[in-house]
Every structure is written in structure tokens, then in C-alpha cells.
Amino acid sequence: MRKLLSLTLMALASSTAFAGGYRVSIQGQKQLAMGHTGVAVINSAEVAFFNPAGMAYLDKKFNVSVGANALFSKTRFQNSEYNWTNKSDNLGTPFSVYATYKLNDWLTAGLAVYTPYGSAVAWEKNWEGAHLVNDIDLQAIFVQPSISIRVGEHFSVGGGPIYAMGSVNFNRNLAPAGGLTENADVTIDGKNISAWGYNLGMMINPVEGFRLGLNYRSEIIMEARDGDATFNNLPALLQNDPRFNPTTFDADLPLPAELTAGLSVNVTDKWLVAFDYNYAMWSAYKALDVRFGNGQESINPRNYKNSSTYRFGTQYLANDKFTFRAGYYIDESPVQDGYFAPETPRNESMGFTGGLTYQFSEKLGVDLSFLYLHFDQVDNSYDHFSDGSSFGGTYKSSVFSPGLGITYGF
């Protein structure tokens, strides 16, 4: 019985790992097409996310950029020793809305609404890894008002608070197939989760055509309180057990701090190149405490490590109507060996991006982008169950995401 409860508690740890370990870097159509660079790039209101200090250098008094993506992700799992195979095909819809307004020559205000975390993973019900996860759906929206202050011709600073709000729904089986509670499962559901953080940036333009940028986004702890935990398909032996009655749960969902530094160079009047280095401070995510309303508690190790992303992008202004973009990046995984769970099938990856803008008029343009994210095949496992068991195999994952946006300004 103790084993059953322990596995139940582990379910909540898994859901939080998904929240902490899954970063969706799709925060603007122009910048995504350039490898998601942007900390030192000035070309639209998207700079409100990448570096609010850059809002002061936008040419137009009012700028707005709205965009959305269809994110198709798939993961294939295989364990050759036991001849286990399974797959997960999922769809996400990240979006972003940015607006800036120049109040005077040195002060610009902006608002950014975006979805840096949030996706879904759904495996076949009661699959071999169902005691870790059947399905999970995470949603998070950030709202970030900012100001940008221009100090002379060559330097600016910017920043503002971040209000994060979201929800999580997660389901898993209570025990591996063949156990006492075969096919019994638990669902946790947390809504109206919110927290605060902040965003700071600076930009330097030492010479014409060359920019340096630095941006810091603080850690945010999403505190789920009094969410619902329900148990389903219990055998007759456990249906009157108070430990499996509907109850509440509390859990913290950590979203790590990020530091990004980068540069951009105008090689010619039409050709721009950019580089961003992003450092995500995942090491803050060492373990997860989960507390049930019935007094049970579980501490589950994660031991994520800090990770880096190296981004390269370019933009070419072909004529008054068309601007073309391309990019590439290398993204390190924060998940260490032995902590690889199927709710976060993430390992080292490479991103290939591209896109264009068609300018209908001086005020209105349409942005198109695409992303192909290729994850290295990985043989790994999760080895930290309280009973000493392990679950693992070979994972193959990829993501494809087309995007559409509109940019307007005057």
C-alpha cells in the first residue's frame, strides 16, 4: 500500500517537471525566423519581449505586432529489451501580442503578452510508462508592461514587472501494469495559478550599424494551491481507503531565470546578422515538494542543470515589399542522466528557422515564419522511484511550427 501511495505522489512531481523543463521559445514571427535572436535587434514591437531597452529606438511612434503558431510535436519511444513501443503526437498554439508607444524623445512605453511555457503531451492510455504520465496539459500566459529610457544617442535601459498566470491538468496510472491498481489513475487539476517576476534590459550602440544587448528575466515560482486531486478506476479493495478520496494538492512550479546577451551588425544597408547567447538557470530546480490535503507529502529529486542556447540569425531587405530571414540555434537540455521522464521528452536539439515579411504598405506588413526543431535520439531513464525501480528506453522527438503575424505602425 505504501508503494501505491508513493507512486501516486510521484505523479505530481512529474507534472511539475513538465512545467519547469519545457520552454517554448516562440515569442515573435520576425525574431523566430531569425533563430529567435533579438536582444540586439530593432525591427518591430517584438523587441518588447527580447529586450525592452530597445523600444526607445523604434522609428515609429506607435507599433503593434500580433502573431500565433501551430506547434506540431511528436515523440517516439522504444524499449528493445521488453519490445515496448509508443508515440505521442500533439498540437500547441503559442501566441504573442506586443505594442509600443513613444511618449517623447527619451521615453517609450510597451506591453507584451506571450506564452513562454505551455504545451501538451498525450501518450496512449495505460501504456508501459503510464505510471509516470498518461497525459498533461500546461498553459501559461505572461503579461509584461515595460518602459524604455533612452540615455543619449548610444545607450538605453528598459524593463518592467511580469505577471504570470496559468493552469495544469495531469493524469497518470497509480502503479505499473500488473500491479494491484492496474489501470487505476489519478488526475490533478490546478487553475488560476499566478505569480510575479520582472524583466530588465540594456542596449548599447557604440557605432552606427552595430548594437549590443543584454536582457535578464527573473525566476518565477508558480504556486499551485488547493488544486483538485481525484482517483479513478480504483479496485474494490481501495475504494473506501481515505488516502484515495478526492482531495486537494499544493505544489510549486518553478520557471527559471534567464540571461541573454547578444549583438547585431548591419553588414550592408540591406543585410543584418545577429547572435544571441541565452543562459537558463535551471539549477534552481533541485527537487519538488508536493503536499496533499490529506496530510501526505512527497519530495522528489530533479537536479536540473543550467543550460545554454546559441542562436544565429540573419535578415535581408530584398526590396520595399519583401524581407527574408533565416536562423539556426543549438539548445542544450537541462535534464541530467537518470532524470529523463516521458512528460518532458527533451534532450539536446538543433533549431532551423526561416521566414519573410510582405509589406502591404508603409504601415502594414504580414510576417511568416517556420521552425523545425530536431532533438538528438537519446537512450535514458528515470531512476529515482522510492522503490528503486527505473523506467527508460529510446526517445526520438521533433517539432515543426509554422507561424503567421501582422505588424502595424505609424
Side-chain angles (χ1 to χ4, degrees):
M1 204 68 69
R2 178 174 297 175
K3 176 181 177 181
L4 291 176
L5 185 58
S6 176
L7 290 171
T8 302
L9 296 174
M10 183 60 76
L12 301 184
S14 299
S15 69
T16 305
F18 182 89
Y22 202 94
R23 172 75 162 88
V24 182
S25 294
I26 300 180
Q27 272 76 61
Q29 303 305 315
K30 285 185 169 67
Q31 305 316 139
L32 175 62
M34 295 178 62
H36 213 251
T37 58
V39 73
V41 178
I42 307 295
N43 61 9
S44 72
E46 292 177 11
V47 74
F49 167 80
F50 288 89
N51 188 350
M55 296 190 303
Y57 295 107
L58 289 167
D59 293 334
K60 296 174 181 174
K61 188 177 184 67
F62 174 75
N63 301 271
V64 62
S65 294
V66 179
N69 285 71
L71 194 154
F72 303 94
S73 64
K74 64 179 183 180
T75 301
R76 301 292 180 263
F77 168 80
Q78 182 177 17
N79 184 308
S80 300
E81 181 179 359
Y82 299 104
N83 196 28
W84 294 340
T85 61
N86 214 296
K87 64 180 182 179
S88 176
D89 296 294
N90 306 283
L91 171 65
T93 54
F95 69 90
S96 60
V97 179
Y98 305 112
T100 69
Y101 185 77
K102 186 172 293 186
L103 299 170
N104 54 46
D105 290 341
W106 59 271
L107 180 62
T108 300
L111 178 66
V113 181
Y114 51 95
T115 53
Y117 296 85
S119 188
V121 174
W123 298 92
E124 293 179 8
K125 191 77 172 178
N126 302 322
W127 72 299
E128 291 81 1
H131 57 295
L132 284 167
V133 61
N134 277 312
D135 59 76
I136 183 168
D137 183 16
L138 170 71
Q139 299 180 4
I141 299 175
F142 282 19
V143 180
Q144 175 192 311
S146 303
I147 61 169
S148 180
I149 301 173
R150 186 169 178 168
V151 184
E153 293 297 319
H154 305 289
F155 179 69
S156 66
V157 295
I162 297 173
Y163 178 67
M165 50 187 174
S167 64
V168 62
N169 183 279
F170 174 78
N171 175 271
R172 64 168 286 273
N173 285 14
L174 296 184
L180 179 62
T181 57
E182 181 177 4
N183 299 335
D185 62 77
V186 57
T187 297
I188 65 167
D189 188 60
K191 294 183 173 62
N192 302 319
I193 306 167
S194 62
W196 287 91
Y198 63 91
N199 184 38
L200 297 172
M202 58 181 292
M203 187 171 288
I204 304 172
N205 312 295
V207 297
E208 185 176 356
F210 180 60
R211 298 183 190 275
L212 297 169
L214 183 68
N215 180 251
Y216 176 78
R217 187 167 290 102
S218 74
E219 177 183 282
I220 295 177
I221 305 296
M222 301 290 283
E223 298 180 346
R225 296 291 180 267
D226 297 324
D228 297 323
T230 57
F231 301 88
N232 312 290
N233 303 317
L234 291 168
L237 178 65
L238 298 178
Q239 288 182 357
N240 295 320
D241 190 321
R243 292 175 301 177
F244 298 102
N245 290 339
T247 186
T248 60
F249 78 93
D250 295 341
D252 294 344
L253 316 176
L255 310 179
E258 294 183 351
L259 180 66
T260 304
L263 59 87
S264 69
V265 179
N266 284 96
V267 181
T268 69
D269 292 341
K270 294 185 175 181
W271 183 23
L272 173 75
V273 296
F275 169 75
D276 278 11
Y277 170 72
N278 175 263
Y279 188 68
M281 303 171 198
W282 287 106
S283 62
Y285 190 24
K286 298 184 182 302
L288 171 67
D289 296 337
V290 181
R291 298 169 297 279
F292 286 100
N294 58 15
Q296 301 295 323
E297 184 178 74
S298 177
I299 297 175
N300 305 279
R302 281 295 177 254
N303 285 328
Y304 276 28
K305 63 181 179 181
N306 295 338
S307 63
S308 298
T309 305
Y310 307 87
R311 303 180 180 278
F312 306 88
T314 187
Q315 169 181 282
Y316 184 75
L317 179 63
N319 51 49
D320 292 340
K321 292 294 184 183
F322 285 97
T323 301
F324 297 96
R325 303 181 181 89
Y328 168 77
Y329 63 85
I330 301 170
D331 191 5
E332 297 177 351
S333 171
V335 183
Q336 301 198 70
D337 290 344
Y339 295 89
F340 202 96
E343 83 280 353
T344 50
R346 170 177 176 159
N347 47 307
E348 311 294 335
S349 63
M350 294 182 294
F352 303 88
T353 70
L356 61 88
T357 292
Y358 181 77
Q359 202 69 34
F360 283 97
S361 67
E362 183 179 352
K363 295 181 178 179
L364 178 64
V366 173
D367 307 313
L368 302 176
S369 73
F370 75 87
L371 162 69
Y372 175 69
L373 192 59
H374 173 78
F375 293 83
D376 293 343
Q377 177 178 307
V378 61
D379 297 308
N380 218 316
S381 59
Y382 188 83
D383 304 333
H384 298 278
F385 294 102
S386 59
D387 62 356
S389 63
S390 176
F391 177 82
T394 301
Y395 294 86
K396 298 179 182 178
S397 303
S398 65
V399 169
F400 175 71
S401 179
L404 174 66
I406 296 175
T407 299
Y408 183 80
F410 58 85

